[in-house]
């Protein structure tokens, strides 16, 4: 199993450009999450999904959109990138039920720079 | 909203010294998880604590969950260079057993050989 994969690994954008980050998991997890990591700020939740076709806002959703058209994929979109969105983005997934208590499995991350 | 504070932000130790990081939540937690992130890597799950006062050990690592389920700690005995990385606690609000977590800011551990 590949676990959680993210594409691309690195990206440089100019202010105002748009892009989509792709997350894929092959563990049949119901829940998926997008985080951003900035120095001294820990991991902050952007959006999450509790199942195919459903999404919800996290702690810092402004400037981002997400879609979960297939259970295994969770897309994060930036419609008009800003320098404040320079960060490392992590995708994670977890089971949704009580049995496994929601351990989150993280992807390798995408390092995004907005100039 | 729920806040999870973690201290210290940085810790430098000599190899063989002990290390402790502390996590405090503004609200009662259903459970708390600990993750480790190696430099340049991604967070990796270490353990989950669920019961009030729970203590779990993994070799040189000891994890505790407070009686009030609002704080937790990770203690590493006799650190090694392989312990280098950032340690995060992540809490789940009381009343929920799964779903989104609130992460602390993390403690960056440096071990000098």
């Amino acid at each position: 199993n590949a676990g959680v994969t993210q594409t691309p690994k690195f990206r440089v954008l100019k202010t105002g450009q748009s892009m989509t980050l792709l997350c894929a998991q092959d563990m049949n997890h119901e829940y998926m999450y997008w985080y951003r990591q900035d120095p001294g700020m820990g991991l902050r939740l952007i959006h999450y999904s509790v199942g195919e076709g459903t999404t919800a806002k996290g702690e810092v959703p402004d400037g981002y959109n997400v879609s979960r058209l297939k259970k295994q994929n969770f897309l994060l979109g930036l419609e008009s990138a800003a320098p404040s969105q320079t960060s490392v983005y992590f995708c994670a997934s977890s089971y949704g039920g009580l049995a496994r208590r929601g351990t989150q499995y993280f992807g390798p991350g995408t390092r995004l720079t907005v100039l | 909203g729920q806040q999870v504070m973690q201290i210290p932000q940085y810790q430098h130790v000599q190899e063989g010294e002990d290390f402790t990081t502390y996590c405090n939540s503004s609200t009662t937690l259903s459970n708390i998880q600990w993750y480790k992130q190696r430099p340049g890597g991604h967070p990796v799950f270490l353990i989950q604590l669920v019961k009030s006062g729970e203590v779990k050990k993994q070799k040189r690592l000891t994890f505790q969950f407070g009686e009030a389920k609002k704080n937790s700690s990770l203690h590493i005995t006799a650190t090694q260079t392989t312990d280098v990385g950032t340690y995060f606690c992540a809490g789940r609000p009381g009343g929920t057993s799964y779903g989104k977590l609130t992460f602390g800011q993390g403690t960056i551990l440096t071990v000098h050989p």
Side-chain angles (χ1 to χ4, degrees):
Chain A
N1 288 351
V4 180
T5 58
Q6 292 182 234
T7 53
K9 289 185 170 55
F10 303 94
R11 186 71 185 268
V12 178
L13 291 178
K14 293 181 179 179
T15 297
Q17 287 185 318
S18 63
M19 77 163 295
T20 300
L21 283 68
L22 171 64
C23 176
Q25 53 93 6
D26 60 2
M27 296 175 282
N28 201 33
H29 285 167
E30 293 86 358
Y31 285 23
M32 296 187 75
Y33 316 82
W34 275 107
Y35 293 91
R36 61 177 288 172
Q37 184 175 31
D38 304 292
M41 303 290 288
L43 291 155
R44 293 184 292 170
L45 183 65
I46 304 171
H47 286 280
Y48 66 102
S49 168
V50 300
E52 183 178 319
T54 70
T55 63
K57 293 180 179 180
E59 181 185 354
V60 287
D62 294 343
Y64 305 94
N65 57 76
V66 288
S67 64
R68 183 109 180 260
L69 299 180
K70 294 183 178 181
K71 185 178 184 179
Q72 63 268 34
N73 295 337
F74 196 28
L75 278 63
L76 177 71
L78 286 72
E79 290 186 346
S80 179
S84 60
Q85 294 178 305
T86 293
S87 187
V88 179
Y89 291 85
F90 286 102
C91 175
S93 68
S94 70
Y95 289 105
L98 295 174
R100 294 177 179 84
R101 301 286 192 173
T103 301
Q104 295 192 8
Y105 297 83
F106 284 80
T110 295
R111 187 173 295 275
L112 175 66
T113 301
V114 182
L115 302 176
Chain B
Q2 180 193 27
Q3 290 187 331
V4 176
M5 305 299 293
Q6 194 173 349
I7 56 170
Q9 188 173 358
Y10 302 95
Q11 186 75 58
H12 303 268
V13 299
Q14 289 293 129
E15 190 172 18
E17 293 182 336
D18 292 355
F19 159 75
T20 305
T21 175
Y22 300 90
C23 187
N24 290 286
S25 170
S26 58
T27 59
T28 302
L29 300 171
S30 172
N31 52 61
I32 194 161
Q33 298 180 357
W34 285 90
Y35 291 78
K36 177 183 179 180
Q37 183 179 24
R38 295 184 186 276
H42 58 276
V44 175
F45 174 80
L46 292 176
I47 207 162
Q48 178 168 272
L49 305 171
V50 179
K51 300 176 182 178
S52 170
E54 189 169 14
V55 178
K56 287 188 175 180
K57 292 189 177 183
Q58 290 180 348
K59 298 182 179 179
R60 295 177 294 104
L61 277 62
T62 302
F63 303 85
Q64 293 188 337
F65 200 11
E67 294 290 340
K69 301 184 75 172
K70 296 182 71 174
N71 58 74
S72 182
S73 66
L74 158 60
H75 179 81
I76 302 178
T77 303
T79 55
Q80 300 175 357
T81 55
T82 53
D83 296 324
V84 164
T86 303
Y87 292 85
F88 292 100
C89 62
R92 183 160 286 124
T96 62
S97 296
Y98 51 89
K100 58 180 182 174
L101 296 165
T102 299
F103 281 80
Q105 299 94 323
T107 296
I108 300 172
L109 174 64
T110 304
V111 180
H112 300 284

